[in-house]
Amino acid sequence: MTDHSPNHDPTCLFCKIIAKQIPSRRVYEDEEFYAFHDIAPWAPVHFLLIPKAHIASMAQVTQGHAALMGRMMALVPVLASQAGCRPYPEGGFRLVTNTGAEGGQEVRHLHFHIMGGPRPWLRG
Ligand code: AMP
Ligand code: ZN
């Protein structure tokens, strides 16, 4: 992803993280996705999975994103397991996508929160 990509917003915090302009602790990366530890974790495991393409939120997702979103969903259990979430059903994880101001979204680049690990958690 370069600054010239039409899918990159130079003012977006997560686009800057993808571009390595802001440091992050990487969990996973491929051509389409980036995952990194949340800077303020709620749970023993708490990372964010984002598409490299700048999509503002779930509110902007359309049928045209179906294949991309399918691949994103399929990454969740793999990365959760690799990050230390114990197996289902005793373990598991929580998948959260805040959308818009009333949905509690602070960073306007689509992201999945993936949280897990032994309870109690700080929140959630
Ligand atoms: P949301 O409120 O759903 O938009 O979530 C945004 C998340 O991004 C929060 O959980 C923040 O802790 C996290 N966050 C903000 N800045 C950074 C950063 N530089 N590196 C990692 N996580 C961040
Ligand atoms: Zn972005």
Side-chain angles (χ1 to χ4, degrees):
M1 188 66 58
T2 70
D3 289 358
H4 308 294
S5 163
N7 289 324
H8 175 93
D9 175 351
T11 68
C12 168
L13 174 67
F14 287 175
C15 284
K16 289 179 187 170
I17 284 179
I18 293 163
K20 311 273 195 285
Q21 291 161 1
I22 291 176
S24 64
R25 289 200 299 133
R26 180 171 65 184
V27 168
Y28 174 81
E29 182 167 16
D30 66 22
E31 286 192 353
E32 292 182 304
F33 304 104
Y34 188 67
F36 56 105
H37 292 284
D38 196 292
I39 205 165
W42 300 4
V45 175
H46 185 173
F47 64 95
L48 305 175
L49 173 61
I50 65 179
K52 287 187 171 178
H54 179 85
I55 301 168
S57 80
M58 278 302 297
Q60 283 71 34
V61 170
T62 66
Q63 286 298 330
H65 297 110
L68 180 79
M69 294 304 296
R71 291 191 289 274
M72 189 167 168
M73 293 294 287
L75 268 176
V76 171
V78 177
L79 299 186
S81 172
Q82 287 175 3
C85 297
R86 294 190 304 120
Y88 178 92
E90 291 80 12
F93 51 83
R94 175 170 288 182
L95 174 62
V96 171
T97 306
N98 299 323
T99 304
E102 292 181 349
Q105 183 182 13
E106 290 178 359
V107 179
R108 294 183 181 175
H109 181 127
L110 174 64
H111 52 282
F112 287 173
H113 292 259
I114 295 139
M115 290 163 280
R119 289 180 177 270
W121 295 356
L122 206 58
R123 293 168 68 186

